[in-house]
Amino acid sequence: MLDASLSAQLQQIYSDLPVTVVLRQRPSAHPKHAELAEMLEDVAATAPGKVRHVVEGEPAPIPTFEVAAEGRTATIAFRGIPGGHEFTSLVLAVKYAAGQGKRPDEGIQARIRSLKGPVRLRTYVSLSCHNCPEVVQALNLMALVHPDFVHEMVDGGLAEGEVEKLGIQGVPTVISLVHENAQVSVGRAGLAELLDALEE
């Protein structure tokens, strides 16, 4: 699935991962399960021993996986296949989970840590959306800074029933599971704007 150029880039990006990162995919009878498995296998193959792909856990109705450092509880999850613009979100999630990647300054991190937990967010995206990855990546970063914060990206194209039920009109839409699916943010937003919305 990954072309030679992209594989070479990932080999470089993941060459200095300090810990092993696990891509834990849940079993699924969905027709796209194998496609996701192939993508995650290809990503893992770019960093043998540093990135592992496993299939385990409770079955999921649509392709689903978590990203976490080995031995740690996952706080970043993806429901759907993060192709297109969201592939970068997957690449960065591995770096973030390993404790790498650009972090916000200490003042912003302190604000993130002081959010009243638990924080359970879900971002509905479209894989053709240009603004979605910025929101997904900002919330994934927060999930690794805050002690009780879980974020899941959902491909709205594979979760049409949910999108309809929640009345989602545009992407990205961030909802809070703790606050009865209240919308936290809709449309383009950076880390600072998302943090403001969460503090409110």
Side-chain angles (χ1 to χ4, degrees):
M1 183 181 273
L2 302 186
D3 63 33
S5 161
L6 189 51
S7 290
Q9 283 179 33
L10 290 186
Q11 283 172 26
Q12 198 170 358
I13 290 168
Y14 295 151
S15 63
D16 60 346
L17 290 180
V19 297
T20 299
V21 175
V22 181
L23 306 173
R24 185 172 290 106
Q25 182 180 3
R26 285 167 59 185
S28 178
H30 194 280
K32 285 188 174 282
H33 173 80
E35 186 183 328
L36 176 61
E38 185 185 352
M39 174 191 273
L40 299 180
E41 276 292 329
D42 285 357
V43 170
T46 66
K50 290 293 184 183
V51 181
R52 289 199 308 118
H53 168 237
V54 297
V55 179
E56 61 186 23
E58 290 289 312
I62 63 175
T64 301
F65 70 100
E66 302 170 338
V67 182
E70 194 156 45
R72 297 196 64 174
T73 302
T75 59
I76 295 174
F78 293 83
R79 238 178 340 129
I81 300 169
H85 297 295
E86 288 301 343
F87 186 71
T88 306
S89 299
L90 164 57
V91 173
L92 287 174
V94 172
K95 294 279 281 184
Y96 293 163
Q100 293 185 325
K102 193 177 176 191
R103 298 285 162 125
D105 66 47
E106 196 44 58
I108 295 287
Q109 289 193 48
R111 283 175 61 196
I112 294 168
R113 280 192 290 268
S114 66
L115 290 169
K116 187 180 175 188
V119 183
R120 300 289 181 270
L121 301 178
R122 191 173 278 166
T123 303
Y124 288 86
V125 306
S126 159
L127 299 184
S128 59
C129 162
H130 291 272
N131 297 324
C132 294
E134 183 179 6
V135 171
V136 170
Q137 290 159 27
L139 292 173
N140 283 349
L141 197 49
M142 287 192 211
L144 290 158
V145 171
H146 190 283
D148 194 6
F149 192 126
V150 177
H151 176 242
E152 179 179 56
M153 180 219 87
V154 181
D155 176 2
L158 292 184
E160 290 171 344
E162 280 177 53
V163 168
E164 203 172 305
K165 189 177 171 186
L166 292 164
I168 291 170
Q169 301 292 322
V171 290
T173 292
V174 183
I175 64 162
S176 169
L177 304 181
V178 177
H179 299 93
E180 297 177 355
N181 298 328
Q183 291 190 357
V184 175
S185 171
V186 180
R188 186 174 186 172
L191 189 142
E193 294 154 288
L194 290 163
L195 183 52
D196 287 346
L198 289 168
E199 285 175 334
E200 278 178 34

